[in-house]
């Protein structure tokens, strides 16, 4: 055996062989359990990012691991040419816990949103008017990185290098209902929003705004697409974040937390809308695969059995309370935003990267959005002890 690879060796190889699309943090993780991660040197970390809101029930939850193991030993893939039990069971489960009647499965958030947009366009062309295709989204929104979802995302600076953008999307400032009303044309078919913008900086829709948008969509025969890729599956203290607003979308997209780490995306829709799709209109080779579906089924079961939605709400409130205490003694915090375990901290100074680095060194994984926003997305199973420990590290990083 030659010399074993250490951290620096892997960093070098990554730079050599992987296209440089990620500004990585200087850690290589090799193991996870619950809210804890271990790096290649055996150092442990408290995980308050959950792989960007993905490992919703914690790392390597035994129920998810055993469901996946059993499935892998049985059957991994047959394609959507055939029926499979996990896909049917997951569709039934998602319908039973949501506003919707039917599901379609994809492999990621962007792909789920692609399906949502295709469905909205076809439905509107058939049932509302020939020329309806335009979709209004919000500035600062993030809907994914395919060309069409890049065009949908209201972040012009991200679009610039890849222009020309696919047409059919228009952006308005979030929480400005008049701006939204003013942006509608004869061509508009849908409005697509994140109930709480995630990648844009953890900015929630105002209660009245989203309710007005729902009412307006009904009046104007527009579809309301809610991108709950980040906010769905218990993240904010409800199974789906629109429940906080007392409204229902026509189409909802999910992904991140749904598979607990296994790649799966979904759209959930009402029958009325689902009927626009016919065989051949949409599909995916890998979408709704057996392993991803059993993982998602196990994740939802764990969330229900371990009361993780209640925990998300409770622990979210605990974190916010502690952040308010920190804020009282530390002038650098400008604002604390978000719901449940999706928390954004606006800073007055451009020190977010520095704080993330300091926390990482002290064994806490958190995330920054740009230079002035910190984001916490801990697993839904996070405990009061985890939070005490994390807030101790975070406070020290902020003050020093
Ligand atoms: C992460 C995210 C996406 C994109 O998901 P991918 O799985 O990376 O394609 C879309 N919408 C929202 C709200 C997201 O947070």
């Amino acid at each position: 055996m030659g010399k074993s690879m250490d951290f620096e060796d892997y960093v070098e190889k990554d730079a050599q062989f992987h296209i440089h699309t990620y500004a990585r943090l200087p850690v290589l993780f090799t193991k996870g359990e619950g809210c804890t991660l271990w790096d290649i040197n055996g150092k442990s970390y408290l995980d308050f990012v959950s792989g960007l809101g993905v490992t919703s029930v914690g790392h390597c939850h035994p129920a998810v691991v055993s469901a996946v193991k059993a499935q892998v030993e049985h059957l991994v893939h047959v394609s959507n040419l055939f029926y499979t039990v996990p896909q049917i069971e997951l569709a039934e489960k998602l319908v039973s816990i949501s506003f919707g009647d039917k599901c379609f499965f994809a492999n990621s958030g962007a792909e789920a949103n692609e399906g949502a947009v295709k469905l909205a366009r076809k439905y509107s062309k058939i049932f509302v008017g020939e020329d309806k295709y335009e979709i209004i989204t919000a500035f600062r929104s993030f809907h994914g990185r395919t060309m069409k979802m890049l065009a949908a995302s209201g972040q012009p600076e991200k679009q610039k290098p890849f222009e020309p953008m696919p047409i059919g999307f228009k952006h308005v400032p979030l929480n400005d209902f008049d701006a939204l009303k003013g942006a509608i044309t004869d061509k508009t078919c849908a409005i697509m929003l994140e109930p709480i913008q995630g990648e844009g900086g953890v900015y929630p829709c105002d209660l009245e705004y989203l309710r007005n948008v729902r009412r307006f969509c009904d009046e104007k025969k527009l579809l309301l697409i809610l991108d709950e890729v980040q906010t769905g599956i218990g993240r904010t203290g409800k199974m789906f974040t629109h429940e906080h607003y007392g409204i229902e979308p026509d189409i909802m997209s999910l992904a991140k937390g749904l598979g607990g780490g296994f790649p799966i995306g979904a759209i959930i829709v009402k029958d009325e809308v689902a009927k626009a799709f016919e065989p051949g209109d949409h599909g995916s080779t890998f979408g709704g695969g057996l392993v991803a579906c059993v993982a998602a089924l196990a994740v939802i079961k764990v969330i229900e059995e371990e009361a993780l939605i209640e925990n998300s709400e409770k622990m979210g409130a605990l974190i916010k309370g502690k952040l308010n205490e920190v804020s009282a003694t530390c002038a650098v915090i400008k604002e604390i935003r978000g719901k449940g375990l999706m928390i954004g901290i606006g800073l007055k100074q451009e020190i977010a990267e520095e704080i993330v680095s300091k926390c990482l060194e002290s064994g806490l994984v958190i995330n920054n959005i740009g230079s002035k926003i910190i984001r916490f997305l801990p697993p839904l199973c996070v405990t009061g002890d985890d939070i005490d420990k994390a807030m101790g590290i975070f406070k020290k990083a902020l003050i020093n």
Side-chain angles (χ1 to χ4, degrees):
M1 275 213 351
K3 171 182 172 288
S4 77
M5 296 275 292
D6 67 13
F7 174 67
E8 277 76 24
D9 298 330
Y10 282 115
V11 169
E12 208 172 287
K13 268 200 199 291
D14 184 72
Q16 189 180 352
F17 296 117
H18 191 258
I19 296 178
H20 193 217
T21 57
Y22 300 108
R24 301 202 204 264
L25 291 161
V27 179
L28 190 159
F29 289 120
T30 53
K31 185 178 147 69
E33 191 185 313
C35 296
T36 308
L37 282 165
W38 285 269
D39 74 12
I40 189 169
N41 299 316
K43 176 178 164 184
S44 73
Y45 300 77
L46 196 47
D47 182 7
F48 267 45
V49 177
S50 310
L52 290 170
V54 167
T55 50
S56 44
V57 296
H59 294 282
C60 301
H61 191 291
V64 179
V65 169
S66 75
V68 166
K69 265 188 181 167
Q71 188 58 53
V72 166
E73 285 173 352
H74 230 73
L75 184 65
V76 171
H77 179 83
V78 291
S79 89
N80 286 304
L81 293 170
F82 305 98
Y83 297 101
T84 62
V85 175
Q87 188 181 107
I88 296 166
E89 286 183 350
L90 180 60
E92 181 183 25
K93 185 70 199 177
L94 285 173
V95 164
S96 80
I97 60 170
S98 74
F99 71 95
D101 302 310
K102 285 190 167 56
C103 296
F104 174 85
F105 294 113
N107 305 288
S108 67
E111 256 187 64
N113 286 335
E114 290 277 346
V117 165
K118 279 177 73 177
L119 180 57
R121 279 199 183 178
K122 186 160 187 229
Y123 173 84
S124 302
K125 273 182 208 276
I126 301 173
F127 299 107
V128 190
E130 274 271 303
D131 208 22
K132 303 256 175 204
Y133 64 86
E134 200 172 65
I135 296 179
I136 315 264
T137 74
F139 281 116
R140 263 188 339 225
S141 62
F142 182 77
H143 299 294
R145 296 195 183 259
T146 59
M147 283 303 288
K148 207 168 188 82
M149 287 310 120
L150 186 59
S153 300
Q155 304 195 35
E157 70 291 350
K158 286 212 168 99
Q159 297 172 354
K160 262 251 140 13
F162 306 103
E163 287 176 340
M165 283 291 113
I167 61 161
F169 295 95
K170 213 165 158 181
H171 306 106
V172 294
L174 189 73
N175 290 327
D176 182 342
F177 186 50
D178 288 334
L180 181 72
K181 283 196 286 189
I184 305 294
T185 69
D186 291 344
K187 296 185 166 36
T188 309
C189 77
I191 295 168
M192 177 155 84
L193 294 169
E194 299 155 83
I196 302 175
Q197 291 185 332
E199 301 312 299
V202 192
Y203 291 100
C205 284
D206 294 338
L207 183 68
E208 273 315 300
Y209 176 74
L210 199 51
R211 287 180 175 175
N212 282 334
V213 171
R214 173 70 275 179
R215 213 173 301 127
F216 184 66
C217 285
D218 291 337
E219 279 167 30
K220 301 283 177 192
K221 290 197 166 163
L222 304 170
L223 294 173
L224 177 59
I225 304 170
L226 288 183
D227 178 346
E228 294 231 27
V229 166
Q230 186 162 154
T231 57
I233 311 294
R235 173 55 52 195
T236 71
K238 299 268 187 201
M239 186 57 91
F240 305 111
T241 296
H242 63 263
E243 295 168 25
H244 288 290
Y245 294 82
I247 59 133
E248 290 177 352
D250 301 296
I251 304 175
M252 170 171 70
S253 52
L254 298 173
K256 292 198 164 93
L258 177 58
F262 290 85
I264 183 165
I267 51 174
I268 302 180
V269 306
K270 297 251 170 99
D271 267 330
E272 162 65 16
V273 181
K275 72 185 184 194
F277 266 173
E278 292 164 32
D281 278 340
H282 196 45
S284 166
T285 300
F286 292 113
L290 293 95
V291 179
C293 286
V294 296
L297 278 163
V299 163
I300 296 169
K301 198 160 169 234
V302 168
I303 288 174
E304 289 175 344
E305 287 178 359
E306 298 181 12
L308 294 187
I309 293 180
E310 293 80 352
N311 195 59
S312 169
E313 192 199 351
K314 258 193 4 217
M315 293 301 125
L318 185 63
I319 294 174
K320 269 197 177 171
K322 290 192 180 280
L323 283 173
N324 280 321
E325 282 170 30
V326 175
S327 174
T329 61
C330 168
V332 78
I333 294 180
K334 184 176 155 205
E335 193 179 39
I336 299 156
R337 299 187 291 267
K339 272 191 160 70
L341 293 172
M342 179 174 180
I343 296 173
I345 305 154
L347 303 175
K348 287 179 192 156
Q349 295 162 24
E350 300 198 331
I351 52 169
E353 283 114 331
E354 192 188 318
I355 290 171
V356 167
S357 294
K358 280 185 183 170
C359 286
L360 199 60
E361 267 168 41
S362 308
L364 173 65
V365 184
I366 57 172
N367 171 245
N368 66 290
I369 299 168
S371 57
K372 292 178 94 172
I373 300 168
I374 299 274
R375 176 171 52 170
F376 292 171
L377 294 166
L380 307 183
C381 55
V382 71
T383 66
D385 284 348
D386 296 330
I387 290 169
D388 280 345
K389 196 173 153 204
M391 293 313 294
I393 295 171
F394 181 65
K395 191 175 170 181
K396 232 167 128 188
L398 264 189
I399 288 167
N400 297 325

